[in-house]
């Protein structure tokens, strides 16, 4: 058994657990202050659900690209994309 697998699973669980907790407590008031509380919580959970679905799809897509054109090039591409979208 590889020693990094339990760490990766724990990290993944922690990421979703913290986001789910914030989706209930913080995000409704922070991102949807004018909506009623039920709608705000449902909108927060919709963003959480979209991330829950998009992450494995992105993993399959970028894993495939990493196998085809090289993992380093795909990593550089994703980092440039993330940095570019965060800076605008």
């Amino acid at each position: 058994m590889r020693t990094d697998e339990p760490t990766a699973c724990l990290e993944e669980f922690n990421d979703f657990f913290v986001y789910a907790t914030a989706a209930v407590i913080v995000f409704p008031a922070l991102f949807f202050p004018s909506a009623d509380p039920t709608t705000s919580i449902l909108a927060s959970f919709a963003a959480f659900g979209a991330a829950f679905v998009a992450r494995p799809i992105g993993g399959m897509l970028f894993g495939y690209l990493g196998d085809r054109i090289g993992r380093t090039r795909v990593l550089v591409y994703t980092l440039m994309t993330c940095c570019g979208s965060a800076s605008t």
Side-chain angles (χ1 to χ4, degrees):
M1 181 172 137
R2 293 175 46 184
T3 58
D4 59 343
E5 288 175 5
T7 305
C9 290
L10 182 64
E11 211 171 287
E12 189 79 16
F13 170 77
N14 186 39
D15 182 30
F16 277 110
F17 180 76
V18 169
Y19 189 87
T21 305
V24 173
I25 297 171
V26 179
F27 294 162
L30 185 65
F31 293 116
F32 310 105
S34 62
D36 77 273
T38 305
T39 306
S40 298
I41 289 176
L42 289 176
S44 294
F45 277 136
F48 177 69
F52 197 78
V53 170
R55 184 171 285 185
I57 294 171
M60 287 186 285
L61 173 70
F62 287 108
Y64 174 77
L65 288 174
D67 290 341
R68 289 288 178 199
I69 64 172
R71 295 182 187 274
T72 305
R73 290 177 66 187
V74 172
L75 175 65
V76 169
Y77 174 72
T78 56
L79 290 175
M80 288 174 56
T81 304
C82 290
C83 293
S85 65
S87 65
T88 58

